[in-house]
């Protein structure tokens, strides 16, 4: 922590294990409590469990190899959808029916409101905006 060694751990060597006739890997740890306790405790951070359910939507797109996820993420962030709480790549695929120089990516968006249950119509509108933004990057939606 902050450059200070507060613990060391590892597997004992195979020679020592063989000398003691140990058949399974054995791991040891040294924790230097005096060093560890010298650091102040951090404030506990928590977030209450959401009262309303999240809604997930998956988007499958084919992009040119020149398009990186940072560009995709930026294009979606520019939409400023306040209920979009998470947007991540779930799967990336190359080869097969995907042309050379391109890749297929499954993107997962999670929407959630702290104040209410989301309606299907608004999730559909946000999804359509995401699709248009991804098409603006040259992506082709897979059906």
């Amino acid at each position: 922590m902050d450059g200070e060694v507060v613990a060391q751990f590892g597997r004992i060597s195979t020679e020592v294990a063989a000398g003691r006739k140990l058949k399974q890997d054995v791991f040891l740890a040294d924790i230097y409590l005096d060093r560890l306790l010298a650091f102040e405790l951090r404030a506990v951070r928590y977030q209450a469990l959401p009262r309303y359910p999240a809604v997930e939507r998956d988007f499958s797109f084919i992009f040119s190899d020149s398009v990186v996820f940072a560009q995709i993420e930026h294009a979606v962030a520019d939409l400023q959808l306040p209920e979009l709480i998470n947007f991540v790549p779930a799967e990336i695929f190359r080869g097969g029916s995907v042309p050379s120089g391109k890749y297929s990516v499954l993107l997962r968006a999670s929407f959630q409101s702290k104040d209410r249950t989301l309606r299907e119509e608004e999730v559909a509108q946000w999804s359509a905006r995401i699709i248009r933004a991804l098409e603006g990057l040259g992506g082709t939606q897979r059906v």
Side-chain angles (χ1 to χ4, degrees):
M1 293 178 54
D2 295 335
E4 181 79 25
V5 175
V6 295
Q8 294 181 353
F9 56 93
R11 182 174 51 97
I12 64 170
S13 71
T14 53
E15 295 82 22
V16 172
R20 303 227 185 246
K21 297 182 182 174
L22 299 173
K23 296 180 180 177
Q24 296 178 337
D25 289 338
V26 175
F27 294 84
L28 298 174
D30 284 331
I31 300 173
Y32 308 116
L33 290 177
D34 56 333
R35 296 178 190 173
L36 186 60
L37 294 174
F39 290 93
E40 289 186 32
L41 294 177
R42 295 183 182 151
V44 177
R45 293 184 298 178
Y46 74 96
Q47 189 173 27
L49 292 174
R51 184 176 175 132
Y52 301 99
V55 177
E56 288 186 346
R57 291 292 184 265
D58 288 346
F59 305 93
S60 184
F61 271 82
I62 295 178
F63 286 102
S64 167
D65 282 341
S66 63
V67 177
V68 297
F69 181 70
Q71 292 171 286
I72 295 169
E73 189 176 37
H74 190 273
V76 172
D78 282 349
L79 298 174
Q80 297 181 353
L81 303 172
E83 286 80 4
L84 180 64
I85 59 168
N86 199 19
F87 186 77
V88 295
E91 185 177 293
I92 297 174
F93 177 75
R94 295 177 194 278
S97 63
V98 179
S100 178
K102 295 185 181 276
Y103 66 96
S104 174
V105 61
L106 176 67
L107 302 161
R108 182 158 295 141
S110 299
F111 302 96
Q112 188 172 39
S113 173
K114 295 177 183 168
D115 306 323
R116 61 189 172 77
T117 300
L118 298 176
R119 294 186 321 271
E120 180 59 36
E121 310 83 52
E122 59 191 351
V123 174
Q125 288 176 351
W126 298 328
S127 296
R129 290 180 61 193
I130 290 173
I131 290 169
R132 283 193 302 274
L134 298 177
E135 288 172 342
L137 289 174
T140 304
Q141 188 174 17
R142 294 187 78 175
V143 183

